[in-house]
Amino acid sequence: MSAPFQDVTVLSLAEQLPGPYATLLMADLGADVILVERPGIGDPARAFPDFFASVSRNKRSVCLNLKHAEDKSAFLELVARADVVLEGYAPGTAARLGVDYESLRKVKPDLVYASISGFGQTGPYRSRPAHDISYQAIAGVLADQAKHPGKTPELPLGDMSAAMYAAWAIAAALFARERTGNGTFIDVSVADGLVSWMSTLLVPVMNGGSIVNVTESPGYGNFACADGGVLSLSIAHEDHFWRALCGVLALQDVAALGHAQRVEAAHTLRPRVMEGIREKPLAYWASVLDQHGVPWSPVHALEQVARDPHFQVRGLFAHVVAADGKPQMHIRQPVHFSAYPPLPLTRVPALGEHNTDLVGRKAS
């Protein structure tokens, strides 16, 4: 095998973000991911070409109208040759189209079928429409932010966590199928995934315990430098990291304070840390903090991330020639396998580009 998912075929009926990112993870590891898109418009995310491109490399595209008998028949022929179907419709939609798990397992008995939805296939919220911020809200992710209203989160944590749970669950189901010969239905809820990610906060609360207070530590947060640069310090509960920082900032009078004491005195300690960091430029701190073993990182603007030498050495970025002949930068699969080299990246498919190859006729 040249890739972990070699010879695995995935049909994707999912649009926007969670499903496409899940299938991107699989495509980057060798799966043949076929986007089954609506004729004429395809995935609505195509209206935002750069966004669509970010999750659509290494895939193929066919256009099929699942409400039309001929296209439905072509889709079922693809199902018969596939290993996985992933859909991201609202609960009940796949059944109405006749492409739900119970219908498709008659065509492919050992099919692995995954559904990604906001609140899952069951429960009183199953039909409630929502976007990522609402899933974060109900899972408790925004509880602290609600006390200090401000800018809403930019990273769609719910969508990304659901995508990773879906990819992980599909991989687990394929592994189980190798041993048992059985397919399965997978119900992935965006909200459920976020609740699971909140385990270290929710479990203590549910059991009447206490939460490890990290963010209130005076050595944890973002700090402005003399030249306008910003760095993050990530001293959580570790006393030795705090002592190292105090040595750098000449705060020996508070170096012996333990975590609980630091949190209690944060209102006086944090301004002292801020003042110390403000005295020197970012380049100075980059050298000194590394030298003294203080956990930190620069706060990059988005355009700085791809220029960071660490990520470049890690081989995280690659150029792909787009359909218009222009180079387009993409982010590689971030997990390294010693047994498998990184696969070459292929460009984002045009809408219905592979209809002739896969269903024997051009896209309508």
Side-chain angles (χ1 to χ4, degrees):
M1 292 179 62
S2 60
F5 285 123
Q6 180 179 322
D7 299 326
V8 172
T9 299
V10 180
L11 302 181
S12 176
L13 297 169
E15 300 174 333
Q16 307 286 11
L17 182 54
Y21 187 72
T23 54
L24 177 71
L25 295 176
M26 298 188 70
D28 280 354
L29 295 180
D32 180 15
V33 174
I34 300 168
L35 305 178
V36 182
E37 303 187 72
R38 290 179 277 181
I41 61 170
D43 184 335
R46 283 186 180 272
F48 309 96
D50 294 326
F51 175 94
F52 181 78
S54 71
V55 291
S56 299
R57 63 169 181 269
N58 288 355
K59 301 178 183 180
R60 298 196 283 174
S61 170
V62 296
C63 287
L64 295 172
N65 187 336
L66 298 180
K67 296 180 180 179
H68 293 176
E70 185 179 8
D71 283 8
K72 176 75 168 295
S73 177
F75 174 71
L76 294 179
E77 290 179 9
L78 290 176
V79 171
R81 305 194 301 269
D83 300 284
V84 178
V85 169
L86 184 147
E87 62 93 2
Y89 299 127
T93 302
R96 288 195 296 272
L97 291 172
V99 294
D100 56 309
Y101 175 61
E102 293 303 326
S103 298
L104 298 190
R105 70 188 297 197
K106 297 174 183 176
V107 178
K108 178 75 171 179
D110 63 349
L111 182 69
V112 171
Y113 187 110
S115 293
I116 301 178
S117 62
F119 293 100
Q121 301 299 308
T122 59
Y125 305 149
R126 68 187 293 267
S127 298
R128 176 186 291 179
H131 276 299
D132 200 272
I133 190 171
S134 296
Y135 305 129
Q136 292 192 41
I138 200 169
V141 178
L142 305 182
D144 186 66
Q145 182 175 308
K147 302 174 187 175
H148 311 283
K151 190 176 182 181
T152 57
E154 294 184 10
L155 185 65
L157 290 177
D159 288 346
M160 302 305 280
S161 69
M164 297 195 75
Y165 275 119
W168 167 79
I170 290 169
L174 290 171
F175 176 67
R177 191 179 71 172
E178 289 294 311
R179 294 177 295 157
T180 67
N182 298 324
T184 190
F185 173 75
I186 302 167
D187 176 4
V188 179
S189 159
V190 178
D192 288 0
L194 281 175
V195 170
S196 179
W197 274 22
M198 291 288 288
S199 291
T200 58
L201 299 177
L202 290 175
V203 171
V205 170
M206 290 189 296
N207 290 287
S210 59
I211 297 171
V212 177
N213 194 330
V214 172
T215 59
E216 295 301 320
S217 176
Y220 196 97
N222 297 329
F223 299 87
C225 304
D227 59 351
V230 181
L231 62 82
S232 70
L233 294 175
S234 52
I235 301 170
H237 56 81
E238 303 94 346
D239 294 340
H240 65 286
F241 285 145
W242 174 253
R243 289 194 297 269
L245 178 66
C246 288
V248 169
L249 297 179
L251 299 177
Q252 284 85 355
D253 61 308
V254 293
L257 294 180
H259 172 66
Q261 294 171 303
R262 297 197 297 272
V263 170
E264 186 177 355
H267 63 289
T268 60
L269 294 176
R270 185 176 291 272
R272 295 181 67 183
V273 174
M274 293 174 65
E275 182 180 354
I277 298 296
R278 258 198 307 263
E279 291 180 355
K280 302 290 185 180
L282 180 59
Y284 171 86
W285 293 121
S287 174
V288 171
L289 295 176
D290 276 343
Q291 181 181 347
H292 288 81
V294 177
W296 80 285
S297 277
V299 178
H300 279 333
L302 293 179
E303 60 271 14
Q304 293 175 296
V305 177
R307 298 199 297 266
D308 190 287
H310 178 81
F311 297 139
Q312 292 180 350
V313 170
R314 294 283 294 171
L316 199 52
F317 308 108
H319 283 93
V320 178
V321 178
D324 60 5
K326 296 180 181 179
Q328 188 176 57
M329 182 175 283
H330 282 265
I331 301 169
R332 286 191 180 276
Q333 160 68 233
V335 178
H336 295 236
F337 294 81
S338 64
Y340 308 106
L343 291 173
L345 303 183
T346 59
R347 66 175 176 81
V348 176
L351 180 61
E353 179 179 343
H354 302 95
N355 267 60
T356 301
D357 295 339
L358 294 169
V359 298
R361 53 188 170 82
K362 293 183 178 180
S364 57

